[in-house]
């Protein structure tokens, strides 16, 4: 069974890059265009790992992390933040909210896949 990834990013380009890279590495990818979309898809997708951007309309990545961690379904799923942001205070805020890791865009396919395999147990 393929490990499932829920990729949440408002950039269509990033969602497509993630889909191509991760599906090529054997992951099943579901995309969401913002935090509200991602959180609403989360229970049905039942992902093994979530990748979320921070800066998005409607609900940002911190809201996504908070909603998943406080939810009744799969609240311990690994959550990776994939963002252009690199400020230590934002990383600390994400970690405190319950993020598992932080990856700065642009991402390296090999490194991202390695991290996803490690946190998803794939």
């Amino acid at each position: 069974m393929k490990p499932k990834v829920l990729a949440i990013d408002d950039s269509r380009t990033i969602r497509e890059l993630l889909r191509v890279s991760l599906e090529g590495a054997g992951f099943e990818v579901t995309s969401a265009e913002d935090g509200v979309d991602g959180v609403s898809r989360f229970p049905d997708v039942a992902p093994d790992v979530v990748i979320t951007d921070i800066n998005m309309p409607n609900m940002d990545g911190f809201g996504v992390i908070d909603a998943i961690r406080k939810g009744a379904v799969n609240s311990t799923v690994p959550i990776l933040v994939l963002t252009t942001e690199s400020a230590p205070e934002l990383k600390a805020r994400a970690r405190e909210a319950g993020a598992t890791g932080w990856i700065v865009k642009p991402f390296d396919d090999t490194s991202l896949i390695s991290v996803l395999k490690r946190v998803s147990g794939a």
Side-chain angles (χ1 to χ4, degrees), residues 74-94:
N74 199 13
S75 64
T76 60
V77 65
I79 302 172
L80 299 176
V81 174
L82 179 64
T83 183
T84 57
E85 302 288 345
S86 61
E89 59 273 11
L90 292 176
K91 290 180 182 178
R93 182 176 167 200

Side-chain angles (χ1 to χ4, degrees), residues 43 60 67 99 106:
D60 67 11

Side-chain angles (χ1 to χ4, degrees), residues 1-13:
M1 192 162 88
K2 293 181 178 182
K4 294 185 276 184
V5 175
L6 176 58
I8 308 168
D9 200 300
D10 59 320
S11 165
R12 179 180 292 129
T13 302

Side-chain angles (χ1 to χ4, degrees), residues 49-70:
V49 63
V50 173
I51 299 173
T52 186
D53 189 11
I54 287 295
N55 299 314
M56 297 181 289
N58 303 317
M59 179 189 290
D60 67 11
F62 298 114
V64 169
I65 297 166
D66 192 52
I68 290 172
R69 292 294 181 240
K70 290 182 176 173

